[in-house]
Amino acid sequence: ELGDVVLLLAFTGLRWEEASGAWTSDVDLEQRLLSCQRVSPVVRGKRVPPGTTMKSRHARRDILIVDQAVEPLQRLLARAGSSSGAEPVLVTGERGRGPLHYRTWRNKLIEAQAATGLTYTAHQLRHVYASILIDSGMEDAKIARYMGHSNANYTRALYGHWFPEDSRADADQLSAAIGAIRARESAIAK
């Protein structure tokens, strides 16, 4: 059941607090958008109900739902729909009973890590999404918006080592500039 949560985090870039604060009504599969509007952090071991202020005003955003996230979201919605809880939370505990607590998530994640040898955290899954956005060639400003960052400079500083460098294009651009300078110098010399 928690594999769908892994896919949700990896294919949306949600922070744990954002995923646990998401409501079923935040998901629009027809428009392929997940509206990130609230968080539900854990404070001193206790989950704060959804509605807590976002990390920043930029964290409030719409996230694209990619093809690979549709089926996991459908299963999460179905489980949440079977929940008898008052909160319409998207990420529910096992068998749809109430919200999924971070402690439960971490314990299941540790079990999965022991079984597979793969080690990752909820936040590292967010980095998976960032790397996918970067690899897609998307503009820096859009990447920042989908990640919930305040500006593209912050995103580039954080993930700059992942942005591909097109050294051939840079070399061509410099060659053209040098050629233009040399042509001007030649024209002046005549």
Side-chain angles (χ1 to χ4, degrees):
E1 290 183 357
L2 297 182
D4 289 333
V5 178
V6 169
L7 295 172
L8 173 70
L9 296 173
F11 294 137
T12 62
L14 288 170
R15 297 171 178 94
W16 173 258
E17 295 82 6
E18 295 168 341
S20 64
W23 291 355
T24 56
S25 59
D26 294 333
V27 179
D28 184 343
L29 290 175
E30 187 175 317
Q31 293 297 315
R32 304 285 292 273
L33 292 173
L34 192 157
S35 183
C36 185
Q37 299 298 317
R38 66 196 63 75
V39 295
S40 183
V42 175
V43 178
R44 290 193 274 304
K46 296 193 180 207
R47 183 176 177 274
V48 176
T52 305
T53 305
M54 300 295 287
K55 183 176 180 179
S56 73
R57 68 181 173 90
H58 303 285
R60 189 176 304 265
R61 64 200 184 279
D62 286 334
I63 298 169
L64 300 173
I65 297 174
V66 296
D67 293 343
Q68 295 80 356
V70 171
E71 286 184 25
L73 275 167
Q74 289 171 330
R75 288 188 294 267
L76 288 168
L77 287 166
R79 268 197 302 280
S82 66
S83 175
S84 60
E87 294 175 346
V89 293
L90 176 64
V91 179
T92 61
E94 296 193 58
R95 295 177 293 283
R97 294 189 192 148
L100 177 62
H101 292 272
Y102 186 73
R103 185 179 309 123
T104 303
W105 157 259
R106 285 292 298 152
N107 289 339
K108 292 291 185 180
L109 192 60
I110 290 167
E111 289 174 22
Q113 290 171 343
T116 64
L118 298 174
T119 57
Y120 50 84
T121 64
H123 201 76
Q124 287 168 329
L125 292 169
R126 179 171 160 74
H127 294 312
V128 167
Y129 183 66
S131 67
I132 292 168
L133 291 174
I134 292 164
D135 194 54
S136 77
M138 191 174 285
E139 297 170 18
D140 294 0
K142 287 183 178 181
I143 294 171
R145 185 174 71 225
Y146 291 132
M147 293 300 295
H149 294 157
S150 59
N151 62 59
N153 290 336
Y154 176 79
T155 303
R156 182 151 297 271
L158 187 61
Y159 298 111
H161 60 287
W162 288 353
F163 282 86
E165 290 189 29
D166 187 355
S167 58
R168 179 66 191 185
D170 291 344
D172 289 346
Q173 184 178 359
L174 287 174
S175 295
I178 291 168
I181 291 169
R182 292 183 78 193
R184 279 196 310 264
E185 287 175 346
S186 265
I188 292 171
K190 289 182 180 179

